Amino acid sequence: MALALELAARGGGRTSPNPMVGAVIVKNGQVIGQGWHRRCGGLHAEREALAACTADPAGATMYVTLEPCCHQGRQPPCTDAILAASIARVVVGSGDPNHLVAGKGLAVLREHGVRVDTGVLKGACDALNRVFFHYIRTRRPYVVLKYAMTLDGKTATRTGASRWITGEAARRRVHEDRNRYAAILVGIGTVLADDPLLTCRVEGGRDPLRVVCDSALRLPLDAGLVKTAGQVPTVVAAARPNQEKKAALEAAGCRVWDLPGPDGKVDLNALLDRLGAEEIDSVVVEGGATVAGAFLDAGLVQHLQVYIAPKLFGGAAAPSPVAGLGAALPAEALRLRELTVTRLGDDILLEGEVNESCSQD
């Protein structure tokens, strides 16, 4: 199962909105086949592992990180392939929450005499597909809020200068995550201040869908995002778009979504619904303090990434990473669970899952 997990992770950034899955086939104590789901629309891990077998898989054991599917989707049911190959035993890590599967795949195998064992390395298998599990249950993207700050909690100096807070290793990790997640989102303030491209600069990587929250369509037509919209998909979420400006942005290759909220700002819930409907299963929010505060106040963040640099900017006027309404009392603070700390050069990446009960409250 550990090998199957390693294989599954190779599909990161390519399988969306499908899960990452790995499979290993063992017979007489020897691995005779292995595979992983490489991309959405491609062979599932079970079928790839069977196709790669170096010996007859009849009577073998298959280890798979996620419950085999039993329905026709972009690919035929994996349970059919397992039964046709006369696999004797299937060992599963995670159950599949998709209502089209959800225990039905295991039941099909058992009904045909296949021994099924579940829950092997379940924690690691579940963690691998947090994005998929959230998306399949809610039909909304899994939201990662990411920001970088100094030890004294500043995201820029008192003059507004912010490049660079973190070092090269941390910045490389950011680009690896752009390759991994389906979309990246910023507010118009970040675009006006930094004119970012929001692309993935990892060799062989893929660019995420770029999303700009821009209530009044202030996005300049000569911004880097607009000039490259023909090459990298770009969505501009607006609340009160000027029709002439909207037409100009669309002519440049941007898609403009009119999603007005009650406060004259972009309706973030409607935005996540629209992204989910387009099979965007994950989004990294990299905007400034205003956007970060809006997502947190609305309880829309599932995961937090905080890059911390060993330096201090000081200054009462220097900006901090999160604005919005915030908590009134310490007891109301948003809390994280499953914390991890990663050393990246001189910097530290602190990340964790947002406590769901706190965000719902």
Side-chain angles (χ1 to χ4, degrees), residues 273-322:
D273 286 339
R274 180 75 178 267
L275 289 170
E278 299 213 356
E279 296 193 327
I280 300 300
D281 67 357
S282 54
V283 57
V284 178
V285 176
E286 283 197 15
T290 299
V291 170
F295 270 87
L296 288 171
D297 284 346
L300 298 176
V301 177
Q302 280 72 54
H303 189 86
L304 194 68
Q305 291 184 331
V306 182
Y307 291 84
I308 305 172
K311 59 183 70 171
L312 291 86
F313 284 167
S320 61
V322 179

Side-chain angles (χ1 to χ4, degrees), residues 51-86:
C53 277
T54 58
D56 184 357
T61 295
M62 175 182 285
Y63 296 83
V64 60
T65 56
L66 185 69
E67 177 181 357
C69 66
C70 56
H71 67 287
Q72 176 69 48
R74 293 182 173 94
Q75 290 286 325
C78 288
T79 51
D80 288 358
I82 292 170
L83 295 173
S86 297

Side-chain angles (χ1 to χ4, degrees), residues 87-317:
I87 294 290
R89 179 184 178 214
V90 175
V91 180
V92 176
S94 296
D96 191 335
N98 187 342
H99 72 280
L100 297 173
V101 186
K104 299 173 186 175
L106 304 181
V108 167
L109 295 175
R110 287 177 172 136
E111 287 167 4
H112 287 81
V114 178
R115 175 182 168 184
V116 177
D117 296 302
T118 61
V120 176
L121 296 187
K122 184 179 186 301
C125 291
D126 287 354
L128 179 73
N129 278 311
R130 279 198 179 106
V131 167
F132 171 73
F133 291 165
H134 175 81
Y135 174 72
I136 207 69
R137 288 179 177 129
T138 67
R139 290 297 170 182
R140 281 183 167 187
Y142 177 89
V143 176
V144 179
L145 174 60
K146 166 258 170 186
Y147 55 83
M149 69 179 190
T150 59
L151 282 175
D152 55 342
K154 306 298 184 181
T155 56
T157 67
R158 58 183 172 82
T159 66
S162 60
R163 293 188 179 180
W164 293 102
I165 291 177
T166 55
E168 183 178 340
R171 297 198 296 274
R172 182 166 57 249
R173 169 60 188 268
V174 169
H175 284 279
E176 290 170 356
D177 280 345
R178 289 183 183 179
N179 175 57
R180 173 185 174 192
Y181 294 110
I184 181 171
L185 182 148
V186 297
I188 184 60
T190 295
V191 177
L192 295 176
D194 300 333
D195 193 22
L197 287 177
L198 305 179
T199 52
C200 172
R201 292 189 283 279
V202 172
E203 185 176 354
R206 45 158 283 284
D207 292 323
L209 170 71
R210 305 179 300 187
V211 182
V212 182
C213 283
D214 182 12
S215 298
L217 281 193
R218 294 187 290 151
L219 181 62
L221 295 176
D222 61 352
L225 290 171
V226 178
K227 291 192 291 186
T228 58
Q231 293 76 50
V232 183
T234 305
V235 166
V236 184
R240 47 184 187 278
N242 173 282
Q243 293 304 308
E244 183 177 345
K245 182 66 172 292
K246 177 181 178 180
L249 288 171
E250 290 177 336
C254 299
R255 287 191 291 165
V256 180
W257 295 349
D258 189 7
L259 302 169
D263 55 358
K265 304 284 183 63
V266 171
D267 185 329
L268 297 181
N269 281 286
L271 174 57
L272 293 182
D273 286 339
R274 180 75 178 267
L275 289 170
E278 299 213 356
E279 296 193 327
I280 300 300
D281 67 357
S282 54
V283 57
V284 178
V285 176
E286 283 197 15
T290 299
V291 170
F295 270 87
L296 288 171
D297 284 346
L300 298 176
V301 177
Q302 280 72 54
H303 189 86
L304 194 68
Q305 291 184 331
V306 182
Y307 291 84
I308 305 172
K311 59 183 70 171
L312 291 86
F313 284 167

